[in-house]
Amino acid sequence: MGKGAGSVSIIGGSDGPTSIFIAGKGGKVKLTTRIQNYFRKLKRNRVKKRITANSHTLEEVMEMLKREYGAEEVSQQSHNYLEQRKRLKASLIMRHRPDLLGELMDLGPPEGEDVEVLKAFWEQIQEWEKVAAEIADDIFPVDFHIYEIKCPKNCMMQIGVETVWQVIDGSFSGDKKTMKQLKKLFREIYLYYGVTAEDIKNETERYNSLLAALCL
């Protein structure tokens, strides 16, 4: 890994960057945080104006990754692939079919930062992923692929594509300069996936996912 690392996960339903307010003494929002959120909102509005209809299928995206960037598909038998698929499947089941998780569907984040509470919560997440992984594909189908794009030494970029539930995600690592370039590349890939005129008009999940990617 390089000096910096980052990952992006854009899943249908994302509503873009969320303003996070950090309260100081007396519950007041810090001035620096308010300024940061103000500029995030400005950037989001500028990006909205630049989005035009130009959509491609995920199958076309995968072909483009290989054709334009020389991307190679990661073996579906590799540990990296199996771990990412397990986590993605658990996340998708929680989003689309939480009923399949039984009592685990009510799993919620813990309050506070007590070490023992956080440890217990992490164990619950692992149990949740285990249960989700055991759900047969004929009950909850997943068609997941990972493509690795070759980068200079000490950096890495992978693009995950799931065609059933319409997911694109990316992970990359490297030094500060490389990270900036990889974020730009990810935005280009997501922009190629694009949106339809109907997506823009109705601000669909796909539209909001594109907006989130472009605001990185």
Side-chain angles (χ1 to χ4, degrees), residues 12-214:
S14 168
D15 58 359
T18 301
S19 295
I20 301 174
F21 295 94
I22 302 174
K25 293 182 179 180
K28 294 182 179 179
V29 177
K30 291 182 179 181
L31 178 59
T32 53
T33 303
R34 294 174 64 183
I35 292 173
Q36 288 171 352
N37 287 326
Y38 172 77
F39 282 105
R40 286 193 192 100
K41 186 175 181 180
L42 285 181
K43 181 178 180 180
R44 183 178 172 88
N45 288 335
R46 286 199 302 268
V47 171
K48 276 187 173 183
K49 294 177 181 179
R50 299 206 307 264
I51 295 177
T52 58
N54 181 29
S55 66
H56 295 85
T57 67
L58 287 176
E59 287 74 17
E60 289 175 321
V61 170
M62 290 187 284
E63 286 302 313
M64 182 272 289
L65 288 173
K66 292 182 285 186
R67 182 181 67 252
E68 300 294 331
Y69 302 109
E72 296 182 358
E73 185 167 2
V74 173
S75 169
Q76 296 189 0
Q77 303 303 315
S78 69
H79 176 75
N80 175 36
Y81 173 86
L82 294 173
E83 284 298 307
Q84 288 199 45
R85 186 183 191 279
K86 181 176 71 174
R87 288 195 294 269
L88 176 63
K89 185 174 181 179
S91 176
L92 290 172
I93 288 176
M94 190 63 183
R95 174 172 172 77
H96 297 284
R97 290 292 308 277
D99 55 294
L100 296 175
L101 297 174
E103 295 180 357
L104 291 175
M105 68 181 292
D106 297 323
L107 178 64
E111 296 182 2
E113 298 181 1
D114 181 81
V115 175
E116 292 302 318
V117 173
L118 292 174
K119 182 179 178 181
F121 178 65
W122 177 245
E123 291 174 351
Q124 284 182 301
I125 290 178
Q126 291 179 310
E127 180 63 23
W128 169 33
E129 290 185 346
K130 180 180 177 182
V131 171
E134 292 173 351
I135 295 174
D137 285 349
D138 60 341
I139 296 176
F140 192 90
V142 172
D143 178 35
F144 182 51
H145 306 266
I146 301 176
Y147 291 90
E148 189 167 271
I149 296 176
K150 294 180 180 179
C151 299
K153 187 177 180 181
N154 295 326
C155 80
M156 176 277 295
M157 183 171 196
Q158 290 186 338
I159 303 296
V161 180
E162 201 291 319
T163 64
V164 178
W165 304 97
Q166 303 293 291
V167 175
I168 298 179
D169 65 27
S171 62
F172 32 82
S173 66
D175 58 29
K176 187 175 182 180
K177 180 180 179 180
T178 303
M179 286 292 291
K180 185 176 181 180
Q181 295 171 339
L182 295 180
K183 284 182 180 180
K184 180 181 178 182
L185 176 56
F186 180 77
R187 289 194 293 267
E188 290 175 355
I189 292 169
Y190 213 100
L191 193 58
Y192 178 83
Y193 178 42
V195 290
T196 65
E198 197 70 17
D199 288 319
I200 297 173
K201 178 181 177 181
N202 298 317
E203 295 195 1
T204 63
E205 292 183 352
R206 180 166 174 170
Y207 169 84
N208 281 310
S209 295
L210 173 61
L211 181 58
L214 297 180

